Amino acid sequence: MPIFSDIQETELSGTKEVFLSAIRFATSTTDSFPQFEDDLRTSAQEQVEFMLEDDEKIPLVIADDEIKVEIRIVVSKIFSSFENELFSLILAPDVANEEIEKKIMFCLFDLEWMHNTLLKMDLVKDFVSHWANISSNLLKVIEDKRLDSVMWGLKMKLIEVTSKVLEAVGYGTVVLPAESRAELLKTWIPYIRKMKSLSDKMGKTGSAFPYKMSEDLCQCVEGAIVSLVSALPSNDQAEILADWMSAEQVKYPDLSEAFEIWCYRTKSAKRRLDEDLTASSMPLSHST
């Protein structure tokens, strides 16, 4: 039994090393074998996905505190790399630089892949928290006037990644404080609304414009936003709904359902308040 136990521990240690190595390689760039870089990264990502789905030792690996710490370090590095590449846009003399856009897109694909991986490891809250923390600064860069007519692929990919965050929070996979949820919505709704309107207009110009929000993406974003708004405190709901009704692009996202829920709850709360006030005044009236 001691020998068997040692063998199991050795096998588990080996699995941990392979898993961490694959994670690191799957989310990094290297100059060692540039001509094979994409293939090697893809292979590493496939190895991680295979282990998470089919390796019987993985539940023990991902439950290990050391592994969780290492994964969080990897996530922080990916986000840091993404922010650095994104902020380089502000400093670049040529904002239409394809090389810069390619690096940023690489980081975004890494982030998207890491989100899906963390979801399987029950660590997706780390991803959501990072994304929420950088959202305001991220949009300050991407909404720079110099980027108005370029990098549409990057802008659409940002919305795709954001939709995953909105779904995670909106449907309860990740629990954030009400203040953070409200801030996430107030940050992203105006941008998503604007990009939906702009991409639709570009698609109608007659040119082959490939960067439109797909129907599935639109539905996912809208559903998550409705769910998020409906679960906010009444005052935050009212603020977001007032902004939605005053916007020119009021057709998307359609928050009619959230508005109806807010109206119903407001009326119910007012009715209960009136009933409580009436009930509390009755003894006084009787004694009089």
Side-chain angles (χ1 to χ4, degrees), residues 80-95:
S80 178
S81 177
F82 170 61
E83 286 186 87
N84 289 338
E85 294 295 347
L86 188 68
F87 292 148
S88 68
L89 280 174
I90 299 176
L91 304 175
D94 178 17
V95 293

Side-chain angles (χ1 to χ4, degrees), residues 167-179:
E167 285 187 75
V169 181
Y171 298 127
T173 304
V174 172
V175 179
L176 294 180
E179 183 180 351

